[in-house]
Amino acid sequence: NLNVRSAFLHVIADALGSVGVIVAGAAIFFAGLNWMDPAVSVVISALILYSSWGLLKESTHILMEGVPHGINIREIEDSIVNQKGVCCVHDLHVWSITSNRHSLSAHVVLAENGADRDDVLARVNEVLRERFAIDHTTIQIESTHDLRTDTEGLVCRKGTPCNSSN
């Protein structure tokens, strides 16, 4: 968890700061090494900056709603269109709510007029949860392609009317 790692780094930084102050104080008191105080401060600052960089990158990625690391959008699209009753998927977005909880939104077009919407939705949610650990989803089930005006980003199952050339 990003918050726990951040708190841990804060505690470590405080501990290093305390140890650094004691070492620098002893060096100044016993050996007259006045340069130790700024040197220890620079070393501790560099360690804090180095360890905080990863947290800053990850939190920025989450805030910018970037695709979580390790998630392959193509694999998710393929998993959805390969479900029975699904023709196509479009407008698929995956992002992180926290460092270890992902969300997904998508439009799923049914392949057959008689496909059970609830059954398709349950199977799609199940594959997302089991294969990709995505359990927070918003999926709009559509019975026709007519709701979409362009084909950019449209991923269809091979052999369906919208992808009959494959």
Side-chain angles (χ1 to χ4, degrees):
N1 184 308
L2 195 59
N3 291 329
V4 172
R5 285 195 329 234
S6 179
F8 177 73
L9 283 175
H10 183 80
V11 169
I12 294 298
D14 283 350
L16 283 173
S18 297
V19 170
V21 166
I22 291 169
V23 168
I28 291 169
F29 183 75
F30 293 112
L33 302 174
N34 291 334
W35 59 268
M36 281 293 285
D37 185 38
V40 167
S41 296
V42 168
V43 168
I44 291 170
S45 297
L47 288 173
I48 291 171
L49 287 173
Y50 176 77
S51 63
S52 299
W53 182 249
L55 287 172
L56 182 62
K57 279 181 22 178
E58 187 175 348
S59 62
T60 301
H61 190 76
I62 290 170
L63 289 172
M64 297 303 292
E65 296 182 354
V67 176
H69 299 291
I71 296 285
N72 184 324
I73 297 293
R74 292 284 178 230
E75 285 181 28
I76 293 174
E77 289 171 337
D78 290 343
S79 294
I80 292 173
V81 293
N82 288 326
Q83 296 301 307
K84 181 182 178 224
V86 173
C87 175
C88 303
V89 62
H90 62 91
D91 294 326
L92 184 131
H93 304 282
V94 182
W95 68 97
S96 294
I97 296 173
T98 65
S99 54
N100 54 2
R101 183 152 189 230
H102 310 309
S103 292
L104 175 142
S105 68
H107 294 245
V108 173
V109 181
L110 298 177
E112 310 148 10
N113 289 339
D116 184 295
R117 299 166 85 88
D118 292 337
D119 184 50
V120 169
L121 181 60
R123 279 188 281 104
V124 168
N125 275 321
E126 181 180 354
V127 77
L128 291 171
R129 187 173 40 260
E130 289 178 3
R131 261 190 87 191
F132 304 101
I134 299 172
D135 61 356
H136 186 86
T137 63
T138 303
I139 299 172
Q140 180 171 322
I141 302 290
E142 299 172 354
S143 58
T144 178
H145 291 89
D146 296 340
L147 298 174
R148 184 169 172 85
T149 57
D150 64 348
T151 59
E152 186 179 339
L154 186 65
V155 178
C156 296
R157 182 192 301 208
K158 293 180 181 185
T160 59
C162 62
N163 196 3
S164 58
S165 62
N166 295 328

